[in-house]
């Protein structure tokens, strides 16, 4: 059957038509990306997608949202849209739907995508084990975290808010980063560092350490300079970001008892050429007595261009198969 897959973030809402059967995604069509700021609600964006497509939409929806799922009203974390689950069928003219957290959707993508959609980053260069937990984490506007549990009956995805655990500094530079953020936040979570906006605090802390005048740049400007190699301080901030991501990913893997780790998120893919040659791996394994255990875990980057859409469709397929 056909289903409209939707992936709603803080800045963009992506739509595609997916074909699902027997609990799996058979195919995923080309994605259409709309800016959330240009649409008043999910309903109006849905209608705009239908108009662009030029034909009636399938009467089934698989919707991934950047927000915890639950309650009568879902307020997206970085987006003013509000979703009322009780009204989804009426507002979108569908007969069936699935509503899932965005990183829950990524978890479903991890469970169903083939090995070719993953790039080896660290540890043994081998497929993930058929059984056990895979930790999924990814920096974007925030830090998403999920678990995929593989077992004899198939798999389950556990949505979490693991990105909001406390940030643990590991050297004097990170002590300074933490001190800087504590001037604004009483509690500093991992997401304050290991997410797109976190590069600002890293950059400004490094400028202070070197006695430079602190330039007030936004995160987009710093990421552009870092990824294009235009500024040495921005590059140093990028290197530090990779270190912190490695440490946080390792902490999550330890907490989950993971058999493997997947780095996801839009920013994760942009870091593809940097993570493997950064200190990410050393920080990932630097867990004291558990260093050898951590070194035995395969760590991969998901490279599918639309894992949120694919995963939303996969979640619908699994739910519909039941």
């Amino acid at each position: 059957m056909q289903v409209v897959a939707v992936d709603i973030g803080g800045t963009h809402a992506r739509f595609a038509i997916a074909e699902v059967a027997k609990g799996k995604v058979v195919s995923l069509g080309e994605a259409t990306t709309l800016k959330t700021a240009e649409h008043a609600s999910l309903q109006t964006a849905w209608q705009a997608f239908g108009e662009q497509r030029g034909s009636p939409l399938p009467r089934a929806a698989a919707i991934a949202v950047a927000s915890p799922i639950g309650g009568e009203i879902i307020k997206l974390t970085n987006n003013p849209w509000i979703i009322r689950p009780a009204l989804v069928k009426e507002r979108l003219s569908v007969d069936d739907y699935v509503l899932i957290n965005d990183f829950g959707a990524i978890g479903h993508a991890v469970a169903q995508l083939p090995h070719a959609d993953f790039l080896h980053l660290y540890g043994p260069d081998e497929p993930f084990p058929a059984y056990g937990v895979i930790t999924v984490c990814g920096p974007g506007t925030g830090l998403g975290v999920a678990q995929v549990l593989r077992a004899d009956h198939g798999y389950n995805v556990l949505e979490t808010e693991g990105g909001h655990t406390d940030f643990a500094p590991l050297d004097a530079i990170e002590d300074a980063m933490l001190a800087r953020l504590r001037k604004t936040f009483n509690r500093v979570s991992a997401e304050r560092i290991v997410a797109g906006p976190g590069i600002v605090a890293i950059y400004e802390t490094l400028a202070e350490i070197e006695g430079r005048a602190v330039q007030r740049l936004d995160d987009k400007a710093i990421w552009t300079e870092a990824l294009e190699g235009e500024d040495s301080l921005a590059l140093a901030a990028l290197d530090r970001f990779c270190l912190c991501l490695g440490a946080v990913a390792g902490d999550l893997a330890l907490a989950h008892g993971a058999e493997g780790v997947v780095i996801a998120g839009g920013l994760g893919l942009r870091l593809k050429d940097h993570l493997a040659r950064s200190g990410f791996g050393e920080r990932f394994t630097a867990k004291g007595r558990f260093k050898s255990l951590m070194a035995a875990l395969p760590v991969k980057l998901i490279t599918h261009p639309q894992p949120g859409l694919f995963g939303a469709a996969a979640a619908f397929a699994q739910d519909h198969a039941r």
Side-chain angles (χ1 to χ4, degrees):
M1 67 177 294
Q2 286 192 327
V3 56
V4 181
V6 189
D7 181 18
I8 307 170
T11 305
H12 296 104
R14 296 174 174 85
F15 296 80
I17 305 300
E19 184 78 28
V20 300
K22 298 180 180 179
K24 301 289 185 181
V25 179
V26 177
S27 65
L28 180 69
E30 184 178 350
T32 294
T33 300
L34 304 178
K35 291 183 178 180
T36 55
E38 296 178 357
H39 298 276
S41 66
L42 169 58
Q43 181 183 5
T44 62
W46 176 280
Q47 291 168 347
F49 171 61
E51 291 169 3
Q52 289 187 26
R53 187 166 180 263
S55 60
L57 295 177
R59 295 186 62 86
I63 306 167
V65 297
S67 173
I69 301 298
E72 296 181 359
I73 298 177
I74 296 172
K75 171 69 176 68
L76 276 75
T77 305
N78 297 294
N79 172 337
W81 290 2
I82 292 174
I83 298 174
R84 293 177 172 83
L87 298 179
V88 167
K89 289 185 178 181
E90 175 188 340
R91 296 288 173 85
L92 303 186
S93 298
V94 296
D95 301 316
D96 199 4
Y97 74 94
V98 163
L99 198 57
I100 187 172
N101 168 266
D102 59 340
F103 251 74
I106 298 293
H108 280 275
V110 167
Q112 292 204 19
L113 283 170
H115 182 64
D117 282 308
F118 298 90
L119 175 70
H120 174 69
L121 287 179
Y122 199 78
D125 188 1
E126 59 190 33
F128 291 121
Y131 301 98
V133 172
I134 300 171
T135 291
V136 186
C137 64
T141 304
L143 177 62
V145 179
Q147 297 170 268
V148 179
L149 174 61
R150 291 178 165 182
D152 288 330
H153 64 274
Y155 73 89
N156 286 308
V157 175
L158 307 178
E159 303 171 10
T160 85
E161 292 298 331
H164 296 281
T165 55
D166 295 334
F167 175 70
L170 295 176
D171 60 22
I173 290 176
E174 289 168 20
D175 287 339
M177 288 158 46
L178 182 61
R180 183 179 187 85
L181 284 165
R182 275 195 179 140
K183 294 176 183 177
T184 305
F185 309 103
N186 290 330
R187 175 182 175 272
V188 179
S189 67
E191 184 175 88
R192 298 292 185 190
I193 300 290
V194 188
I199 197 76
V200 175
I202 300 174
Y203 181 86
E204 293 181 352
T205 301
L206 295 180
E208 280 191 347
I209 289 172
E210 293 198 353
R212 302 191 191 190
V214 177
Q215 285 186 281
R216 299 299 178 182
L217 300 175
D218 63 18
D219 57 299
K220 291 181 180 179
I222 297 172
W223 279 114
T224 297
E225 292 186 352
L227 293 170
E228 293 180 357
E230 295 178 355
D231 179 84
S232 60
L233 193 64
L235 275 172
L238 169 59
D239 290 340
R240 178 59 58 171
F241 183 94
C242 292
L243 289 173
C244 294
L245 177 58
V248 170
D251 287 345
L252 291 168
L254 273 180
H256 294 170
E259 300 292 336
V261 174
V262 171
I263 303 299
L267 184 54
L269 191 57
R270 292 177 69 192
L271 294 174
K272 179 178 68 172
D273 296 329
H274 297 271
L275 287 174
R277 64 174 188 260
S278 72
F280 170 91
E282 286 74 14
R283 275 291 188 88
F284 179 82
T285 58
K287 304 301 176 188
R289 291 168 289 175
F290 294 93
K291 182 175 182 178
S292 59
L293 182 149
M294 300 301 293
L297 301 183
V299 182
K300 303 182 187 298
L301 178 71
I302 190 167
T303 58
H304 189 281
Q306 297 292 345
L309 289 174
F310 186 98
F316 182 95
Q318 188 191 58
D319 187 73
H320 194 265
R322 291 171 178 161

